[in-house]
Every structure is written in C-alpha cells, then in structure tokens.
Amino acid sequence: MLDDDRVRADTPGCAPGPGPGTVFLDSAGSSLPPRVVTDTVVAHLRREAEIGGYRAANERLDDLADVKTAIGELINAAPESIALSDSATRSWADFFYSVPLTAGDRILVSEADYASNAIAALQRARATGATVEKIPSDGTGQIDLDALAALVDERVKLVSVLHAPTNGGLVNPAAEATRIAHSVGALVLLDACQSAGQLPLDVAELGVDALSATGRKWLRGPRGTGFLYLRPELARSMEPARLDLHGAEWTGPHDYRLAPDASRFEFWECDVAGRLGLGAAVRYLLELGPEDVYAAIAARAEHLRKALPEIPGVTVRDLGIRHSGIVSFTVDGFDSVAVRDRLLAQDITVTVSHAGSTLLDMTGRGLASVVRASPHCFVGFDELDRFVAAVAELRA
C-alpha cells in the first residue's frame, strides 16, 4: 500500500499553511513535483552557474544515462530504444514526420486524438497526397476494434492510437488496436502523454512501434521534458526527418552515419537540469511502487465519478469501459471556464478542456468544453470531498 503521509510530505505543494489549503486537481495538465525533482533541477542549475554548463553536464554523465535506464524499467524497454526530448508533442512529431508517406497512403487517427496530432497528420497529408481518416468509436466511446479491422488495408501506413485522451477518463484498447494495425503492416504510434505515470505501460505487451510521453503530467517531472520509445528494430533502422551532430556523425564531405540507437532522434542541445529532474521523477515513482501509485490515482478518480453525479445538474462526461485518472464533467447553467474560476477562488485547481483540443470527439458529442479534474496520489480524500462540496455550492 502507498504511504500517503510520505507522499504528501515529499510534495511541497501539499505543505500545510493558513486556511484550508490548496486542492490540486490538475495532474493531467502539469502536476506538483516531489521535492527530489525540484531539488535535483535547482542543484544542477546552481552547479552550472558555478562551473559552466558543459563541465556540469560532464559531471553527471552517469546520471543522465540513468534517465533512460529508469524510463526503460518503467515501460519494460531497453535504454537504447529511448530518445529524450522536450515534450510529448516533440516526440510524437519526430517519429510521425519520419514515417515515409506518398500519394494514396492512409493515416488513421483515433476519434479522441489530440489536436496537435491531427494537425500534423493533415499537414503531411496535404504535402504528400496521403489521406487522414478517423477510426470509429464503439458505443462505449473507445476505439471500435471491429470497425478498425474492416478499415485497414495495405495502404494504411500509420495508425495513431491515443491511449488516454486529454478531455476525459477514456482508456483505449491499445494492444488490441495495435495487433489489428500490424496485420496489414501498418506502424502504430501510441500517444501516452496522459497515461505515462498513471497507467501501466509495458511496450512488449502493447506491441507498439513507437510511444510518446511527457514528463510534466502524471510522471511529476519538470516542464520541457519528454521521451520517445521506438521498437528496437526501428531505433536501429529508421532515419529521423531531422538530424544534427548528436543524432549522426559527419563522416565525409558527402556522408554521415546515424547513431546506432534511438539517440538518433535526439539533438545535442538540451535542458540538462530538466532531464536530470525527469530521471529523479521516474526513479521516485519506481521507488514508491508504480502499481501502488496507479491504484491510488484510480481510487481517487473513482471517488469523484461516484460523488459528482449525485449533485443535481452535474454530469460526468467520461467515456469508455476502463478509466484513467481524469474525470471530466459539466455543470448545468455554468460555462466550464466560470466553474474553473469559481473553484480557483477557493484555492481548488482544475482546468478546462475545450472542443478545439479533441475536435472530432467533442463536436460529435455536442460539447464546447468540459471541466477536467485529475487527482494524483498526493491528493487526500478529504480534499476530494471539499472539491465536491464546492461544486455542489455552485448549484445551491
């Protein structure tokens, strides 16, 4: 079982103060890091100020290598198959723009796919003559596996699977969708931006060709960090759309040699302090016990899914069979932004997901926006009840 007292003591944002304190419900946006993460980042920035960035980085080469080792332990991957980046979006795009496409090729996207993914797909389709098509959802809201099986053919080159969307608690059947895509030779790119750190991720079981994730959300790492996993064969054979002297070696006036692993998808310049902080965040999660953390997040989200619908005029908007730690809802008579701001006045932090972020899903359901609550394991059940009571007061 998770040691709740330890987790809260390790989280400066949970420190007691005057008044009832903050209720933080936005780990799907940018979570509260544990103290070890901020201490790691600040200590390295101070070291850079003392001796310069290059020398400070050279002192931490082993620790920087351990960032990939820790991520590998978390997702069951070899460190050589992981590339570090500045965001999940960068990781997703770096892989996507490296997939060869020509006229007549097909790109399939999840109905709940994120705007950045869809925009990139549409841009490449315009440039190459490929097409972008939506994977239908079933009656529960998740990817319709039967419809996907009927949709794929040898012209499908890439399937974008959103593991957990930004606008609700849906979890898509990623492994099953991957097997269907692979039956016609398509590549599968899993967007794990909202699942890394709150749901089990085993790339061997999922079978995906690539996976993108961020550090700032459920992993509780610094902003400006992320990573890309590539299936080992692709990590050794795929050529990135962009290269520098880190991803490749200049071997002659007209020649270069790619790095032998996923580091070919990295650039030389990076936020060393941020990457060390990401490593500290993943190591902290591994130390706590990922399964215990996942269970704690699920219990808190389920608490809200049961309590919120008991308030007249409040509707939980989560879809799917299996749920994540995101709880989305609307309040009759209140714009979602107004709900967010009214709660913020009581030091309760939630956020709003607008239709533009998940256009196909939200417009299909006739929703302009939803309020999003995303409690991490450091949030107490008493704080959840305070949030529910504040929502109820809006309707009083």
Side-chain angles (χ1 to χ4, degrees):
M1 295 293 293
L2 198 64
D3 185 341
D4 292 340
D5 291 337
R6 179 210 165 165
V7 171
R8 290 182 64 81
D10 288 344
T11 305
C14 295
T22 296
V23 179
F24 187 84
L25 302 173
D26 192 22
S27 286
S30 185
S31 191
L32 301 182
R35 184 173 284 103
V36 65
V37 171
T38 50
D39 286 351
T40 297
V41 172
V42 171
H44 189 75
L45 291 174
R46 287 177 173 159
R47 188 59 174 160
E48 287 184 341
E50 293 168 353
I51 63 172
Y54 281 13
R55 183 176 164 191
N58 286 338
E59 290 180 343
R60 304 297 298 275
L61 292 179
D62 289 343
D63 294 322
L64 286 167
D66 187 64
V67 178
K68 295 184 182 181
T69 301
I71 293 170
E73 291 178 21
L74 183 66
I75 68 172
N76 189 24
E80 295 78 17
S81 65
I82 295 164
L84 301 179
S85 75
D86 61 11
S87 66
T89 299
R90 177 81 65 185
S91 296
W92 193 97
D94 281 349
F95 181 87
F96 176 74
Y97 280 90
S98 301
V99 176
L101 292 173
T102 59
D105 289 343
R106 302 169 65 203
I107 305 165
L108 304 185
V109 299
S110 312
E111 187 167 12
D113 228 326
Y114 190 57
S116 295
N117 303 351
I119 290 169
L122 292 170
Q123 183 191 43
R124 287 210 70 199
R126 287 181 181 178
T128 63
T131 60
V132 180
E133 301 169 46
K134 178 184 72 174
I135 305 170
S137 299
D138 65 18
T140 72
Q142 69 179 20
I143 287 175
D144 188 325
L145 297 173
D146 291 335
L148 175 61
L151 191 63
V152 296
D153 61 22
E154 69 281 355
R155 292 178 298 132
V156 176
K157 301 304 178 185
L158 186 133
V159 178
S160 172
V161 176
L162 192 76
H163 200 194
T166 188
N167 66 330
L170 168 72
V171 178
N172 272 314
E176 295 86 343
T178 297
R179 286 193 287 271
I180 293 170
H182 282 172
S183 70
V184 295
L187 295 174
V188 175
L189 172 52
L190 183 69
D191 184 336
C193 187
Q194 288 291 3
S195 55
Q198 67 140 326
L199 296 172
L201 286 177
D202 184 323
V203 293
E205 291 183 2
L206 291 166
V208 296
D209 299 288
L211 176 153
S212 59
T214 187
R216 76 176 190 270
K217 298 182 184 290
W218 301 95
L219 286 172
R220 304 176 66 195
R223 295 198 69 174
T225 60
F227 67 88
L228 171 68
Y229 157 81
L230 296 102
R231 183 164 49 83
E233 179 185 343
L234 290 176
R236 296 187 295 266
S237 64
M238 191 173 190
E239 179 153 348
R242 301 172 304 159
L243 290 168
D244 76 348
L245 79 173
H246 178 80
E249 178 187 0
W250 193 13
T251 57
H254 304 289
D255 296 299
Y256 60 90
R257 181 169 54 243
L258 292 167
D261 56 22
S263 64
R264 62 182 60 188
F265 278 85
E266 297 175 344
F267 271 40
W268 164 255
E269 183 55 34
C270 66
D271 180 355
V272 175
R275 289 188 175 181
L276 292 170
L278 174 62
V282 177
R283 281 291 172 203
Y284 181 76
L285 173 58
L286 291 169
E287 181 183 336
L288 288 179
E291 295 301 329
D292 289 337
V293 172
Y294 304 155
I297 293 170
R300 285 153 176 76
E302 188 60 25
H303 184 80
L304 294 184
R305 283 195 192 91
K306 291 180 178 178
L308 286 171
E310 295 179 359
I311 304 171
V314 174
T315 304
V316 171
R317 299 293 183 173
D318 296 338
L319 301 176
I321 299 171
R322 180 186 175 203
H323 290 131
S324 76
I326 295 175
V327 181
S328 62
F329 66 97
T330 55
V331 181
D332 289 352
F334 287 86
D335 176 79
S336 296
V337 172
V339 173
R340 179 199 65 192
D341 292 347
R342 292 276 291 271
L343 294 172
L344 184 59
Q346 300 181 56
D347 209 5
I348 299 171
T349 302
V350 296
T351 194
V352 174
S353 186
H354 297 278
S357 294
T358 48
L359 187 69
L360 298 178
D361 172 59
M362 294 280 276
T363 56
R365 291 195 279 159
L367 295 171
S369 63
V370 293
V371 185
R372 186 182 71 185
S374 49
H376 213 295
C377 64
F378 53 77
V379 180
F381 285 92
D382 57 332
E383 294 172 323
L384 297 179
D385 290 338
R386 179 180 150 205
F387 158 68
V388 172
V391 174
E393 287 176 6
L394 297 175
R395 295 286 300 167

